[in-house]
Amino acid sequence: MKKFKVGLIGFSIGGHVFHAPFIASNPNLELYKVTARKEEQQKMLAERYPDAIGVLSAEDIIQDPEVDMVVVATSNDVHYSLTKAALEAGKHVVVEKPFTNTTAEADELIALAKEKGLLLSVHHNARFHSDFKTVQKVLASGRLGRVVHYEARFDRFRNFLREGAWREAALPGSGIHYDLGAHLIDQSLQLFGFPDAVFADLRAQRDGASAVDDFEIILSYPSLKVSLKGQMLAKEPTPRFAIYGMNGCFVKRGVDPQENLLRAGARPEADPSWGVEPADIQGKLSLLENGQDVEEYVLSEIGTGQDFYKNIVATLLGDEELLVKPEQARDVIRILELAEQSWAEQRTMKTEGELIS
């Protein structure tokens, strides 16, 4: 069996929650080296992955000839530089979303990977969440009829700022629109393709906030409005998805269970019920069918975060096409750029960058 040695750069939440468990559970991947600078990270690495080698610098991974693939799970400001360095060193690369801070950086990395014949992908893992897979199933069924309004949101409640958190600093690529919004944009592009226009409302609402902590990004299509929202002051849970069509609506509450399991140290290969949602957060269809009001709950699809790395391996082995292409992740960045321009100029932006008067 071919086994690829993986170097994981970053072992804070991104690395130890969303990457290491799926890498370690894949029989074709070896979690070989991990950057762990803080004492608590080193302790966790030793406890959970005793065979992995802990190192202090990204260079220890990028320049190691034993490493086949580098996973960049760091703050957004170094996604571009670390990915570029890894590609130049001849490594395949998976980079955490958002891909880069600009489309120019993304295009450069895409060209570099093609030039060197290397795999480059971005960890848009929300495609493998139970709720989104259920939304795909509902839309594919056609029971909603022509869809006119799609709303998706990631809401949180934390009415204070975390000291030293880079996501909450006034840095390029910070703010929850780049963090959570990138997931929502990627999902929308998968469902509906690239929009005709973008409008955004981006605010810093909490006391002392300097980065966006409340956003609404509206994507316009010829007969469809897509509204993507996120905020940090939602004390009561809001629907994750609300989809309105000519025949009725579908409303989905609750969140995919995988993240909480991963935060608790669970591994997908050890849990036969991995990714199964509890029945009390199943989505509800409310329809008018054949002149009759119909209400029914939809059995949620199973969340399969492990499928991301399964596809990475299958692509490296030449058995499958890459699911998360870097060009798709670059399109997410383009929407984010247009959103920031829209808010700065108080304008609706055509996706080619022209202004709508």
Side-chain angles (χ1 to χ4, degrees):
M1 180 187 295
K2 173 64 176 175
K3 211 169 180 74
F4 299 94
K5 290 188 175 183
V6 179
L8 172 59
I9 302 176
F11 201 60
S12 55
I13 287 177
H16 83 253
V17 171
F18 297 111
H19 290 278
F22 293 124
I23 294 168
S25 68
N26 191 299
N28 291 98
L29 298 175
E30 176 187 347
L31 188 61
Y32 170 62
K33 273 189 175 182
V34 180
T35 58
R37 296 187 179 92
K38 298 179 180 179
E39 184 178 347
E40 60 267 28
Q41 293 174 349
Q42 295 165 359
K43 181 179 178 182
M44 181 185 295
L45 180 64
E47 290 174 349
R48 295 186 180 181
Y49 309 101
D51 294 331
I53 301 169
V55 297
L56 297 178
S57 75
E59 281 297 299
D60 286 339
I61 288 174
I62 292 172
Q63 299 305 325
D64 186 336
E66 292 291 308
V67 171
D68 300 300
M69 181 169 70
V70 171
V71 175
V72 178
T74 61
S75 57
N76 299 351
D77 58 324
V78 291
H79 282 187
Y80 163 75
S81 59
L82 289 175
T83 300
K84 182 178 180 180
L87 290 171
E88 288 177 336
K91 314 298 185 186
H92 304 293
V93 180
V94 168
V95 58
E96 185 52 64
K97 62 80 207 158
F99 185 9
T100 53
N101 290 335
T102 68
T103 53
E105 291 175 341
D107 285 334
E108 182 183 342
L109 295 177
I110 291 168
L112 180 59
K114 288 181 178 178
E115 174 191 329
K116 290 187 170 290
L118 295 168
L119 178 144
L120 174 61
S121 187
V122 179
H123 192 233
H124 277 294
N125 61 317
R127 296 189 193 182
F128 306 97
H129 286 181
S130 53
D131 46 17
F132 179 64
K133 293 173 70 174
T134 305
V135 164
Q136 289 177 304
K137 178 176 71 173
V138 168
L139 290 175
S141 76
R143 294 182 67 189
L144 289 172
R146 180 170 62 84
V147 173
V148 298
H149 186 190
Y150 169 95
E151 181 175 306
R153 57 194 306 155
F154 268 122
D155 286 339
R156 301 282 190 270
F157 182 76
R158 182 161 49 79
N159 61 3
F160 59 91
L161 306 179
R162 283 204 178 110
E163 186 176 351
W166 63 263
R167 286 184 176 87
E168 298 188 332
L171 299 169
S174 65
I176 66 169
H177 59 317
Y178 265 81
D179 183 24
L180 301 175
H183 281 311
L184 301 181
I185 295 168
D186 178 68
Q187 290 175 336
S188 299
L189 297 185
Q190 289 301 298
L191 292 174
F192 307 116
F194 212 69
D196 295 329
V198 177
F199 175 79
D201 187 302
L202 308 175
R203 298 176 186 263
Q205 294 190 326
R206 290 172 298 171
D207 294 340
S210 58
V212 171
D213 60 10
D214 181 283
F215 70 86
E216 180 173 10
I217 299 172
I218 296 175
L219 310 182
S220 295
Y221 297 82
S223 61
L224 170 67
K225 174 185 175 182
V226 170
S227 179
L228 311 176
K229 302 179 182 180
Q231 60 174 314
M232 293 298 294
L233 292 174
K235 188 67 171 66
E236 287 291 325
T238 52
R240 279 281 293 111
F241 295 95
I243 308 171
Y244 303 91
M246 295 298 293
N247 297 340
C249 66
F250 175 71
V251 176
K252 176 75 176 68
R253 297 179 181 274
V255 296
D256 177 277
Q258 294 177 96
E259 180 174 340
N260 286 336
L261 291 169
L262 293 165
R263 284 178 180 269
R267 297 268 286 272
E269 74 276 18
D271 185 351
S273 61
W274 184 266
V276 176
E277 281 195 351
D280 61 358
I281 61 169
Q282 289 180 353
K284 183 180 179 182
L285 274 170
S286 299
L287 303 172
L288 181 64
E289 290 186 327
N290 301 317
Q292 301 294 318
D293 290 322
V294 175
E295 291 189 351
E296 64 183 65
Y297 288 91
V298 177
L299 181 65
S300 296
E301 295 293 287
I302 295 174
T304 55
Q306 62 270 32
D307 283 356
F308 176 83
Y309 277 107
K310 284 182 179 178
N311 174 253
I312 293 294
V313 168
T315 302
L316 290 172
L317 295 175
D319 297 331
E320 291 181 7
E321 183 179 346
L322 189 63
L323 287 177
V324 185
K325 298 175 175 62
E327 293 84 0
Q328 297 169 341
R330 183 266 321 278
D331 288 346
V332 172
I333 303 305
R334 182 60 185 144
I335 297 295
L336 285 165
E337 287 179 329
L338 289 169
E340 293 204 322
Q341 186 178 356
S342 168
W343 179 239
E345 300 180 9
Q346 294 292 286
R347 305 270 191 163
T348 296
M349 309 300 299
K350 288 185 177 180
T351 52
E352 64 265 35
E354 298 175 1
L355 293 178
I356 297 175
S357 60

